[in-house]
Amino acid sequence: MHWRQWRKRKRKKLFFFGTDIGADIVFEIADSGDGVPDKDVQKLFELGYSSKNDVERGYGLAIVKDTVKELGGQIEVHNQPSGGAVFSVFIPKQGKSGEEYD
């Protein structure tokens, strides 16, 4: 894609929110894109899955999911009514062994 075409595309925004209220540390990452097609929601976290047709993609969300799971947490995704997707990550302040993270 030529850079002039790229500049004319709709600018997408990314939003980040983090808090440690309650028993979890919570991160939410939202964007203003098209959202995630319903048929792809379950596949998003599979190793090697990508909505793009490029080679060597589809590792990031799988690695994030495995890491969050190792910490005893969970990750969720849903589409916003106004458009875009929201990824919510919940990591317990106490690890699986009951130790608090520093």
Side-chain angles (χ1 to χ4, degrees):
M1 176 180 299
H2 191 272
W3 70 272
R4 286 186 182 146
Q5 291 172 318
W6 179 82
R7 286 185 63 191
K8 290 181 182 179
R9 292 189 335 187
K10 178 183 166 186
R11 290 211 172 224
K12 296 180 182 171
K13 296 180 182 177
L14 186 67
F15 305 92
F16 178 84
F17 170 78
T19 186
D20 68 347
I21 296 174
D24 294 329
I25 298 169
V26 180
F27 299 104
E28 288 195 330
I29 301 93
D31 68 27
S32 62
D34 298 328
V36 179
D38 291 338
K39 66 180 181 58
D40 294 340
V41 170
Q42 294 301 319
K43 296 186 270 184
L44 274 180
F45 301 102
E46 292 177 9
L47 187 62
Y49 173 77
S50 176
S51 62
K52 300 167 182 71
N53 293 326
D54 299 340
V55 178
E56 298 186 19
R57 289 189 170 267
Y59 297 97
L61 287 175
I63 291 170
V64 169
K65 180 183 177 187
D66 288 346
T67 302
V68 169
K69 186 176 179 180
E70 284 179 23
L71 294 170
Q74 63 184 26
I75 184 169
E76 302 172 352
V77 61
H78 68 272
N79 290 316
Q80 301 182 84
S82 59
V86 177
F87 289 82
S88 302
V89 179
F90 304 90
I91 301 172
K93 289 181 185 176
Q94 290 191 337
K96 289 182 181 180
S97 64
E99 268 185 52
E100 287 197 21
Y101 297 117
D102 292 331

